[in-house]
Amino acid sequence: MADFLKEDIEMLIDGVLPWPAVQEMMRDAKDTDRFDKYVEILQSRVDFSEPILLPLTPSLFIVAKNKDRVVKCRCGHDFGDYRINWKVSALIYVRDTKESIGEVFKGREMPDPEWCQIREYICPGCGTQLEVEAVPRGCPPDFDFLPDLDTFYDEWLNRPLRKRFEYRDKTLDEVSQWEERTYNKPIPVLEGFTKQFYRFCRKGELRFQRCKECGTWRHVPREMCPECGSFKWRWERSSGRGTVFSWTVAERALHPQFADDTPYAPTVVEMEEGVRILTEIVDCEPDELEIGTPVEVVFDEVTNKVTLPKFRLSRSAIRRARTVPVESLELPPTIHYDKSDRVAIITIDRPDAMNALTKDMLGALDRAFADFNDDDRLWVAILTGTGDRAFCTGMDLKEAIPLLTNGDQLGYEDPTKRQFSEVYKQIIAAINGHCIAGGLEMVAGTDLRVAAENATFGLGEVRWGLVPAGGSHIRIPRQIPWVIAIELLLTGEPISAQRAYEVGLVNRVVPSSELMSTAFDLADKICKNGPLAVRTSKEIAVRALGVEPGFVLEKTLAKKVFSSEDAKEGPRAFAEKRKPDFKGE
């Protein structure tokens, strides 16, 4: 038996023992002397006095506590019986989206969140990250190591422990009791079609039966369609959205187990699919309910086996209640400026002209963003357009071309500046439909971008003998790969929302119905951070780009194009709906 010095083992624990000594230690058989010294060193470093029986990880230990054996963190936090997986009592941070997993994995190394999730187990006592595991979605926490302590102490250390413990995994015994402890109200009986309905709810999916013959949806599961008598049906996923159809306020509980909840409001929600479901609206007082109020489904895991579908007011309904229009600025009816908590919402409202901008509208946008920049109560702005056909298609050529060809700078007297150049608060673009020409130039000056699935992006000026002189030549090549930027600038052909996401022009692509809620989610995440730190981070990043000389060059060279004959021919052909006849002069 090798006799290793306690100092060597301490250096091994600290990771500073020279490699030859580590190899020598690894070659020798394990012995009780080394184990005792190892435990003695660990004991001197933890914040509790109970004797360590066995270390599990650098921060977790099985210790003797009175007549029990428990798992403890080095800070002293007690996770309970060592035969119960300690992970079920830890704080668990789950990474199961591209965004959250992307914070620690990049490129090809990133797991697919559809199949895998990353779980970080945190000590509730000191916040130490105790373990990380990558597991299939829905997989229970892995019980890494359940040692047979009695055999270890009996046969290897030759000093039996005073009290013997049954050697078996007791995790399931513990978990099975949670069902009774956490929910004491009536729950559905899981049988027949009902069992399948709640199995979907466990997965976070609200599904209803739908007839294959007549297409009728039904919430109450049954074998035969009540409309056409067909026995052919399938489970189909609901949008999860609906409106309040009716409700009643219960001042006195009809069931004694609901007494603490009174007054409460059993509510009927009419889903977008046409079915009605009796449910509960969470985080909402009965006097806040109105018929027709938009709601969205949430899932409440009340036991280990049952997850109930409930509803909450949709974000759009909450925002409408809190949004206050700004009336102090003189803005045309085509520009809306609203404030909701710490978020400014600026909307281009000219859908009949594909949200094309006039000179007055451009000036109004500048005034709105100047007010946003100066208002300390506002931290984030969302820029969007009315309707789903277009976010913005740039300047109205019928008005803009005569102005530009006569030398009008359209609001940019300072050649070193472009739209949003001096706005160091965060701007989120919510892009619905076409984002073309000046629309894309505005988006290039924003910080985060959410695009609807039907959005398109393009710089079509060259098709009409013009150039995008609002900063596109300088900003776009700094934001996406050079070859993609040049393709946009030189061909004038648009790209889809998905392609824009792939090349890094937008952050998210979502269904049109989720566009604004996703933009608000991003705004809420930013508003949780220190406003000064966030604003300064943007200012440093923007100013470090050094784009001002490029803006001056763009403005200077663009004048030659706008004063050319081709610049007159292009818009003329556009207005006459014909192919332009360019002369290159």
Side-chain angles (χ1 to χ4, degrees):
M1 180 178 71
D3 186 15
F4 290 100
L5 296 175
K6 181 179 177 181
E7 290 77 9
D8 289 342
I9 297 175
E10 194 160 15
M11 292 173 65
L12 177 69
I13 294 173
D14 293 335
V16 295
L17 186 66
W19 179 239
V22 174
Q23 291 180 306
E24 180 184 353
M25 196 176 290
M26 291 172 62
R27 282 194 296 267
D28 285 315
K30 307 296 185 295
D31 56 76
T32 57
D33 176 69
R34 198 190 321 175
F35 176 78
D36 290 339
K37 289 175 180 175
Y38 181 52
V39 171
E40 182 183 352
I41 294 167
L42 295 176
Q43 191 78 56
S44 68
R45 298 183 176 191
V46 298
D47 295 335
F48 53 82
S49 59
E50 293 91 347
I52 295 174
L53 299 178
L54 192 70
L56 296 177
T57 74
S59 299
L60 277 179
F61 312 91
I62 300 176
V63 305
K65 180 181 178 182
N66 300 324
K67 296 182 180 181
D68 297 322
R69 299 174 191 168
V70 301
V71 174
K72 277 197 171 188
C73 175
R74 64 186 176 191
C75 72
H77 180 80
D78 190 333
F79 286 92
D81 193 319
Y82 83 105
R83 294 166 297 178
I84 298 172
N85 189 353
W86 63 269
K87 294 178 182 176
V88 300
S89 300
L91 300 177
I92 307 175
Y93 177 63
V94 180
R95 299 179 183 271
D96 57 0
T97 63
K98 287 185 178 179
E99 292 74 24
S100 59
I101 295 179
E103 293 175 0
V104 292
F105 288 94
K106 303 297 179 184
R108 296 181 180 179
E109 297 179 354
M110 188 171 76
D112 186 347
E114 291 291 326
W115 302 99
C116 177
Q117 58 183 207
I118 312 297
R119 297 180 190 153
E120 300 174 10
Y121 296 93
I122 312 296
C123 173
C126 62
T128 297
Q129 185 185 79
L130 300 172
E131 188 169 324
V132 178
E133 64 182 12
V135 294
R137 296 177 69 95
C139 178
D142 185 24
F143 198 166
D144 300 307
F145 181 42
L146 176 59
D148 186 350
L149 279 180
D150 289 300
T151 299
F152 176 67
Y153 271 80
D154 285 352
E155 300 180 7
W156 199 72
L157 294 179
N158 296 315
R159 50 173 186 266
L161 297 168
R162 291 183 180 180
K163 180 183 177 182
R164 302 187 69 83
F165 281 71
E166 181 186 10
Y167 176 57
R168 70 181 182 91
D169 184 352
K170 298 182 66 176
T171 306
L172 292 180
D173 297 343
E174 174 74 8
V175 171
S176 64
Q177 298 177 34
W178 294 355
E179 197 170 307
E180 300 174 7
R181 290 202 307 264
T182 58
Y183 199 73
N184 64 349
K185 296 174 183 176
I187 59 175
V189 177
L190 301 184
E191 60 184 18
F193 294 137
T194 300
K195 184 176 182 179
Q196 184 62 54
F197 173 81
Y198 285 103
R199 186 175 296 168
F200 288 125
C201 291
R202 288 279 296 163
K203 299 178 181 179
E205 300 176 5
L206 183 62
R207 290 181 181 258
F208 300 118
Q209 287 181 317
R210 190 176 188 186
C211 178
K212 289 185 177 181
E213 298 291 340
C214 66
T216 300
W217 296 75
R218 55 184 185 266
H219 169 46
V220 179
R222 61 189 70 181
E223 188 70 30
M224 184 183 76
C225 175
E227 296 295 325
C228 68
S230 171
F231 288 87
K232 297 179 180 179
W233 56 271
R234 61 180 175 270
W235 288 103
E236 198 156 311
R237 191 165 186 168
S238 164
S239 68
R241 297 185 298 271
T243 56
V244 173
F245 179 77
S246 67
W247 78 95
T248 183
V249 178
E251 299 289 348
R252 180 171 59 86
L254 303 178
H255 190 289
Q257 291 173 333
F258 287 87
D260 293 339
D261 297 337
T262 54
Y264 64 93
T267 306
V268 175
V269 168
E270 185 167 57
M271 305 300 299
E272 288 184 348
E273 295 78 21
V275 302
R276 294 171 185 166
I277 179 171
L278 179 63
T279 184
E280 174 187 354
I281 309 296
V282 300
D283 299 327
C284 176
E285 297 299 325
D287 57 5
E288 297 180 53
L289 292 173
E290 293 182 7
I291 291 177
T293 299
V295 293
E296 56 193 22
V297 71
V298 292
F299 295 96
D300 185 3
E301 186 177 348
V302 296
T303 73
N304 287 332
K305 296 180 180 179
V306 177
T307 296
L308 298 178
K310 299 180 180 179
F311 287 80
R312 66 183 176 194
L313 299 182
S314 69
R315 184 176 294 275
S316 60
I318 296 173
R319 291 290 178 182
R320 277 203 301 270
R322 297 179 180 174
T323 298
V324 178
V326 177
E327 299 177 351
S328 57
L329 295 179
E330 293 185 4
L331 302 176
T334 48
I335 298 294
H336 303 303
Y337 179 26
D338 305 296
K339 298 180 181 181
S340 176
D341 298 327
R342 298 191 181 279
V343 180
I345 306 100
I346 300 173
T347 308
I348 304 168
D349 185 13
R350 200 185 174 203
D352 56 329
M354 302 289 279
N355 288 332
L357 300 173
T358 64
K359 183 177 180 178
D360 286 345
M361 292 170 67
L362 196 62
L365 284 172
D366 288 342
R367 293 195 297 277
F369 274 97
D371 181 87
F372 158 69
N373 206 38
D374 293 338
D375 191 337
D376 292 336
R377 296 168 298 177
L378 298 173
W379 294 1
V380 181
I382 296 176
L383 174 63
T384 191
T386 298
D388 56 7
R389 294 177 60 208
F391 165 77
C392 177
T393 53
M395 294 298 297
D396 188 326
L397 291 183
K398 295 188 294 293
E399 179 192 74
I401 294 305
L403 293 172
L404 290 171
T405 54
N406 289 324
D408 194 308
Q409 299 299 309
L410 288 178
Y412 302 112
E413 300 298 334
D414 185 346
T416 67
K417 307 298 181 186
R418 294 296 186 274
Q419 211 158 14
F420 316 136
S421 281
E422 295 179 325
V423 179
Y424 293 122
K425 293 182 181 180
Q426 284 56 56
I427 305 173
I428 299 171
I431 304 154
N432 39 328
H434 298 301
C435 178
I436 304 296
L440 180 52
E441 294 198 293
M442 275 198 300
V443 164
T446 64
D447 307 302
L448 298 172
R449 299 129 194 199
V450 182
E453 292 172 332
N454 68 324
T456 60
F457 300 82
L459 295 166
E461 283 86 344
V462 292
R463 299 169 63 188
W464 311 108
L466 308 171
V467 291
S472 291
H473 302 88
I474 319 308
R475 284 170 164 168
I476 297 294
R478 284 171 165 79
Q479 298 176 10
I480 63 176
W482 170 262
V483 292
I484 307 300
I486 287 298
E487 183 177 358
L488 286 171
L489 287 164
L490 302 189
T491 67
E493 293 294 327
I495 59 175
S496 67
Q498 183 59 36
R499 179 60 172 158
Y501 172 76
E502 291 169 356
V503 302
L505 190 59
V506 300
N507 300 79
R508 309 272 195 283
V509 177
V510 298
S512 297
S513 59
E514 300 176 15
L515 181 68
M516 291 305 293
S517 63
T518 305
F520 277 117
D521 283 339
L522 282 172
D524 289 342
K525 289 180 181 179
I526 294 172
C527 288
K528 291 177 181 177
N529 301 323
L532 180 60
V534 171
R535 200 173 312 165
T536 303
S537 294
K538 174 180 174 178
E539 182 174 0
I540 293 170
V542 172
R543 294 179 67 178
L545 291 174
V547 294
E548 288 81 2
F551 287 156
V552 174
L553 178 64
E554 180 184 62
K555 185 64 68 175
T556 302
L557 296 181
K559 287 182 180 179
K560 297 180 180 179
V561 175
F562 286 118
S563 62
S564 68
E565 290 301 318
D566 282 352
K568 298 175 182 177
E569 165 62 12
R572 188 184 305 121
F574 175 81
E576 297 173 359
K577 298 181 180 181
R578 60 176 175 81
K579 184 178 179 180
D581 182 19
F582 294 130
K583 304 297 184 182
E585 48 183 54

